[in-house]
Amino acid sequence: MNDLALAEPGARRLFDRMRDKRILVVGDVMLDEWVWGSVSRISPEAPVPVVAVSDHSFTLGGAGNVANNLRAIGARVSFAGSVGDDAEGRRVLELLDEIDVERSAVISVGDRPTTRKTRIVAHNQQVVRADWESPAPLERKDRDRLGAFIAARAAQHDAVVLSDYAKGLFARDIVNAASGARIVAADPKPANIDLFAGVTCVAPNAAEAATASGIAIVDDASLERAGAALLERLRCRYVVVTRGERGMALFGADGERMLIPSVARTVYDVSGAGDTVIAVLTLALAADAPIGLAMQLANFAAGAVVEKLGTATASPEEILELVGADDR
């Protein structure tokens, strides 16, 4: 490919172009609940640690974390999805309001709970996680209502992100509703991957790409086969495979291939790194960055967030610091 390597001045100019782009996020929003504390003894009731709680907080998870990442780098964000008619759903709406995300296309559904994941963390290590959720598909009437919202808004945005956590939101008609946007990027779960045929870009991680393609990814040759198989199957413009500590790989419909090494200095927590990648990649494409530069910027953003605990975001300055360090 002819894309130049990303350096700090170029990254700064790209961030300037990305600022204020309008992005519509469609997906499975979650409420991440965090219980923080310390352990000094084992319970007398069972051989489990007793966590003395020191703090308790809530953050946006799932597709909500994609929206949070987009806001952190200056995009104007709208959100479409569903929450339950419950306290957790109302808290999700409050959290979207706090980061100034337009959420009039978030529908309340009375027959299912808001997805909530409670993590108990002691000494910066997760002790246990408890999930409240229903992965059952949305009822047709709710899906039709949501699809109408998406179809009315998609063309008004510079790009759409489809963030799939297999919690029942996505069906082919929801994906079709987003097709009015110039750029549609998806982060799909393997079981649903065929729903996203024809979008601009899909960005699974390596394990998801292996499952979706049926090809075990053990080296560069098998990675090439898996990426090519997904590209042919989905008929999309790009397949981007995120590979954790091994970086990222690009497969393009016009024969483009690129391998980018990881730039993370330390890996503290990979939670939500895929959300960061799809957010930054989509926003850079919306700003007309070549795919190679968009991937590189997303790679630096992922390198910044894995140095933090929990689902996190990275500011442009944090990402630019990592780009600058890599320049030297």
Side-chain angles (χ1 to χ4, degrees):
M1 292 182 61
N2 296 321
D3 294 331
L4 300 175
L6 186 67
E8 194 274 342
R12 192 173 292 278
R13 289 193 295 271
L14 181 51
F15 273 125
D16 288 341
R17 300 208 312 270
M18 290 160 63
R19 190 172 298 114
D20 290 331
K21 290 294 182 184
R22 297 193 63 193
I23 309 297
L24 173 62
V25 178
V26 180
D28 296 299
V29 66
M30 305 176 191
L31 181 66
D32 282 349
E33 180 178 23
W34 300 88
V35 180
W36 307 88
S38 59
V39 173
S40 59
R41 63 192 178 98
I42 300 299
S43 171
E45 303 166 354
V48 295
V50 175
V51 177
V53 175
S54 59
D55 198 9
H56 183 207
S57 59
F58 294 91
T59 57
L60 290 166
N65 190 45
V66 176
N68 203 12
N69 273 269
L70 286 162
R71 288 293 298 131
I73 49 181
R76 291 188 289 164
V77 181
S78 302
F79 195 93
S82 70
V83 295
D85 183 14
D86 49 29
E88 290 75 23
R90 290 186 286 278
R91 190 178 290 272
V92 165
L93 298 180
E94 290 170 0
L95 290 170
L96 289 170
D97 288 341
E98 285 177 11
I99 60 171
D100 197 23
V101 168
E102 198 283 320
R103 45 85 169 178
S104 61
V106 178
I107 64 172
S108 178
V109 180
D111 60 352
R112 56 194 292 132
T114 301
T115 300
R116 171 181 162 204
K117 298 183 181 296
T118 299
R119 297 170 176 88
I120 298 179
V121 181
H123 307 287
N124 292 328
Q125 300 253 342
Q126 275 195 49
V127 176
V128 69
R129 191 180 91 181
D131 292 1
W132 288 262
E133 62 185 24
S134 170
L138 283 178
E139 291 190 7
R140 183 58 185 259
K141 61 181 176 58
D142 297 316
R143 203 169 71 239
D144 287 348
R145 183 160 54 117
L146 181 60
F149 278 130
I150 296 166
R153 289 163 170 76
Q156 301 167 7
H157 291 76
D158 296 293
V160 176
V161 179
L162 306 175
S163 177
D164 174 31
Y165 275 82
K167 304 305 178 191
L169 184 89
F170 281 102
R172 184 62 201 179
D173 51 354
I174 294 294
V175 177
N176 287 342
S179 62
R182 179 172 64 93
I183 294 165
V184 181
D187 186 3
K189 291 300 182 188
N192 293 336
I193 198 160
D194 288 316
L195 297 176
F196 300 92
V199 302
T200 310
C201 177
V202 296
N205 63 36
E208 292 166 340
T211 300
S213 67
I215 298 170
I217 299 176
V218 296
D219 54 21
D220 287 350
S222 54
L223 173 66
E224 167 69 29
R225 292 196 300 274
L230 289 177
L231 197 62
E232 180 178 1
R233 176 175 168 183
L234 298 177
R235 305 181 307 281
C236 53
R237 182 68 184 84
Y238 304 113
V239 171
V240 173
V241 179
T242 59
R243 307 173 70 201
E245 72 279 2
R246 302 193 67 184
M248 301 168 66
L250 168 70
F251 303 88
D254 290 339
E256 304 97 324
R257 297 293 186 270
M258 178 180 281
L259 295 177
I260 298 176
S262 172
V263 295
R265 295 167 294 196
T266 58
V267 178
Y268 198 54
D269 189 343
V270 298
S271 300
D275 298 330
T276 302
V277 167
I278 196 67
V280 176
L281 181 70
T282 306
L283 189 50
L285 291 174
D288 297 319
I291 183 63
L293 292 184
M295 276 182 63
Q296 290 176 63
L297 191 65
N299 192 43
F300 279 109
V305 299
V306 298
E307 296 181 356
K308 305 177 182 182
L309 180 64
T311 50
T313 64
S315 68
E317 288 305 319
E318 289 174 314
I319 299 168
L320 288 168
E321 179 186 350
L322 198 54
V323 174
D326 195 63
D327 289 343
R328 292 193 289 273

